[in-house]
Amino acid sequence: MPTRGGDTRARILTASAELFARQGYHGTGLSELLEAVGLGKGGLYHHITSKEQLLLEIMLGPIDRVLASSDRILAGDADATTKLRALGTDLGGAMAADLAAWTVFLREYSALGQTGKTQVLQRRQDYLDRWRRVLTDGAAVGEFRELDLAFVESVLGLFIYTFVWDRDSSPPEALTDSIMGVLMHGVCAPTRRRGGAKRA
């Protein structure tokens, strides 16, 4: 069962992410943070060391979670097509569950110091490498076309911006299906696009 301190810290992270996503990191003052979390300055700094550290924790939380879940997906015995769809479903679910933090992840990178930037960039690269690995594996066995994988760099942005701009008009599952429908059409080998499975 979560401790009260853990609950308070989670509340700080959630409320701060919502403020930073809506107003920007630099556009959010300390007084607004204090009001949003219902704490005094001393109470807030009991749980965080600085505003920048708070920003870094907000940004690392969602990427760490999809790193863990994508590891489980890649560890399975499914084919590359199934794994790629699972990565998309997993990422779409993560976006829907924590869109404010993901928005901050995308928009506020430049507000971090060099150490924080290095941590975020390494995790981002590690995560996108999982997508590259699945696409490479699929191409090796004929499930996917041979591709220039530079487009993988845009995967996180594609999901985040789709969810930000369409979240009020479409359910998360529909947004994910739309993104993955376009992606799967683009990467699957022609026989798979026509029939859903590679012909013998």
Side-chain angles (χ1 to χ4, degrees):
M1 182 176 180
T3 65
R4 184 171 181 177
D7 290 342
T8 300
R9 188 175 187 80
R11 189 172 79 248
I12 291 169
L13 290 170
T14 299
S16 300
E18 291 170 355
L19 281 173
F20 294 166
R22 187 168 63 249
Q23 301 177 182
Y25 172 74
H26 291 299
T28 301
L30 179 60
S31 61
E32 292 171 294
L33 283 175
L34 297 176
E35 182 179 355
V37 301
L39 292 172
K41 187 175 180 180
L44 179 66
Y45 284 109
H46 173 73
H47 294 279
I48 65 167
T49 58
S50 67
K51 186 182 173 187
E52 184 180 323
Q53 183 62 31
L54 175 60
L55 175 64
L56 179 60
E57 288 194 37
I58 290 168
M59 295 175 74
L60 293 183
I63 194 72
D64 281 344
R65 286 188 284 276
V66 292
L67 279 167
S69 55
S70 61
D71 274 344
R72 292 191 291 272
I73 291 168
L74 267 61
D77 294 328
D79 61 19
T81 300
T82 301
K83 287 181 178 179
L84 188 62
R85 289 188 184 279
L87 285 175
T89 299
D90 181 62
L91 183 56
M95 293 287 169
D98 208 2
L99 184 57
W102 278 111
T103 303
V104 173
F105 179 91
L106 182 69
R107 293 178 177 170
E108 300 295 341
Y109 171 80
S110 62
L112 293 170
Q114 190 55 53
T115 300
K117 286 179 179 178
T118 299
Q119 292 182 60
V120 170
L121 188 61
Q122 184 61 61
R123 284 168 168 82
R124 175 186 177 278
Q125 196 65 44
D126 289 347
Y127 179 67
L128 293 178
D129 281 346
R130 287 151 169 76
W131 285 73
R132 290 188 188 90
R133 191 185 319 161
V134 171
L135 289 163
T136 300
D137 290 348
V141 297
E143 291 182 48
F144 303 146
R145 296 187 297 111
E146 293 293 336
L147 296 161
D148 179 347
L149 297 183
F151 79 90
V152 175
E153 290 293 329
S154 68
V155 164
L156 286 172
L158 174 62
F159 271 84
I160 293 170
Y161 278 123
T162 301
F163 273 77
V164 166
W165 288 107
D166 261 349
R167 61 181 171 179
D168 294 328
S169 58
S170 303
E173 296 81 5
L175 293 178
T176 302
D177 286 347
S178 178
I179 295 168
M180 292 306 295
V182 172
L183 181 59
M184 298 304 297
H185 180 79
V187 304
C188 283
T191 51
R192 280 187 171 265
R193 287 204 300 267
R194 286 197 298 270
K198 195 175 188 307
R199 295 174 183 171

